[in-house]
Amino acid sequence: MAKKILTVDDSASIRQMVGFTLKSAGYELGEAVDGNSGLRLAQSARFDLVLTDQNMPGMDGLTMIRALRKTAGYASTPILMLTTESSDQMKAQGRAAGATGWLVKPFDPQKLLDVVKRLVG
């Protein structure tokens, strides 16, 4: 059975690129445009991995991660940040919020696949 991945990003082009990359590798995908809709989608369906941006309108990525970690079934689900933010301080905040890993945009599709495969197979 294909692993399900939730991608949360306000950029349609990023969602499209991530979607193409992951679907081509056989993963199922759910998409959300911001943290609020991402959280609602994660609460209504079970995902094996969550991939989120940081800077989004409404609820940002770190806030969504904190909320997800309190949601049933997501305490140990891998959550990757895919964002333009690359400072050590922001990465530390991500780890403290519960992020499993961090990828910087623009992303290398093969690196994304390698990380996803390592986390969920």
Side-chain angles (χ1 to χ4, degrees):
M1 181 154 57
K3 298 290 185 173
K4 291 176 64 176
I5 298 173
L6 173 59
T7 182
V8 184
D9 201 302
D10 58 322
S11 167
S13 61
I14 291 292
R15 287 193 316 274
Q16 185 178 30
M17 288 186 292
V18 168
F20 177 79
T21 300
L22 295 175
K23 287 177 185 175
S24 296
Y27 295 101
E28 289 183 30
L29 208 65
E31 295 183 8
V33 299
D34 59 31
N36 288 313
S37 58
L39 185 58
R40 283 193 302 274
L41 189 54
Q43 290 168 336
S44 68
R46 181 71 186 107
F47 292 92
D48 300 296
L49 182 140
V50 177
L51 186 64
T52 183
D53 188 15
Q54 164 54 22
N55 300 311
M56 299 178 286
M59 181 186 293
D60 65 32
L62 293 178
T63 304
M64 186 189 76
I65 290 171
R66 288 184 197 100
L68 267 178
R69 289 298 185 211
K70 295 175 185 174
T71 300
Y74 286 95
S76 61
T77 299
I79 302 175
L80 291 174
M81 296 290 296
L82 178 62
T83 181
T84 57
E85 299 284 347
S86 62
S87 73
D88 290 339
Q89 178 184 6
M90 186 59 75
K91 290 177 183 178
Q93 289 178 18
R95 281 189 298 277
T100 308
W102 200 279
L103 296 170
V104 178
K105 295 178 194 174
F107 69 96
D108 172 3
Q110 188 58 54
K111 184 174 182 180
L112 174 62
L113 285 175
D114 290 346
V115 170
V116 168
K117 185 174 182 179
R118 189 171 70 242
L119 292 172
V120 298

